[in-house]
Amino acid sequence: MQQTTNKQAPRLKFLAILAAATSVILVLTLTPWNIVPTLVTEDVTVIAVTDYGCVAESILGHSVVVPNCGASVGDVISASFNVPAMEVNGYYDRIQDKLATVNP
C-alpha cells in the first residue's frame, strides 16, 4: 500500500514575495519623484556682492550664492545649483492646466 503525503505550497515564502512586490510597487508609484533635487546650470544675474561670494537670481526665481566670485552687481555669470525636479520638468504647469479645466 502506498502512502500519499499532502504537501502544501510554502505559504510564508509566497506571502514574503507578495509583500516585497507590493512594497516595490508602492515605493515606485508614491515616492515624490518631483521633490528630488536636480542640478541646474544657468546664467544668473548678480544682485549683490557679499563676503561669502556673489548673490545672484536665476531665471527660475531662486537666489543663488556663488562663492569666490569676482563679478560686480549686474553682471551675468554661470552658476550651478539644485532645484526640485518639479520646477524643471513642468509639473506645476500640468497641475495648473488640470485645475483650470476643473474650475469654471
Side-chain angles (χ1 to χ4, degrees):
M1 184 156 164
Q2 248 183 354
Q3 271 190 342
T4 57
T5 58
N6 193 4
K7 289 188 177 181
Q8 293 182 353
R11 290 184 187 178
L12 185 60
K13 186 176 180 181
F14 176 73
L15 288 176
I17 292 172
L18 184 65
T22 302
S23 64
V24 167
I25 290 170
L26 286 175
V27 165
L28 291 177
T29 57
L30 298 179
T31 301
W33 294 111
N34 288 317
I35 298 175
V36 175
T38 303
L39 183 66
V40 175
T41 301
E42 69 178 50
D43 292 335
V44 294
T45 306
V46 177
I47 57 175
V49 179
T50 65
D51 295 336
Y52 301 107
C54 297
V55 179
E57 186 167 355
S58 72
I59 296 171
L60 297 172
H62 292 280
S63 294
V64 181
V65 177
V66 182
N68 301 327
C69 176
S72 59
V73 176
D75 290 347
V76 177
I77 59 174
S78 180
S80 295
F81 53 96
N82 291 319
V83 295
M86 69 182 91
E87 294 183 17
V88 178
N89 65 12
Y91 178 75
Y92 282 141
D93 298 333
R94 290 193 307 267
I95 294 295
Q96 292 302 323
D97 292 342
K98 287 180 185 178
L99 287 175
T101 60
V102 173
N103 291 334

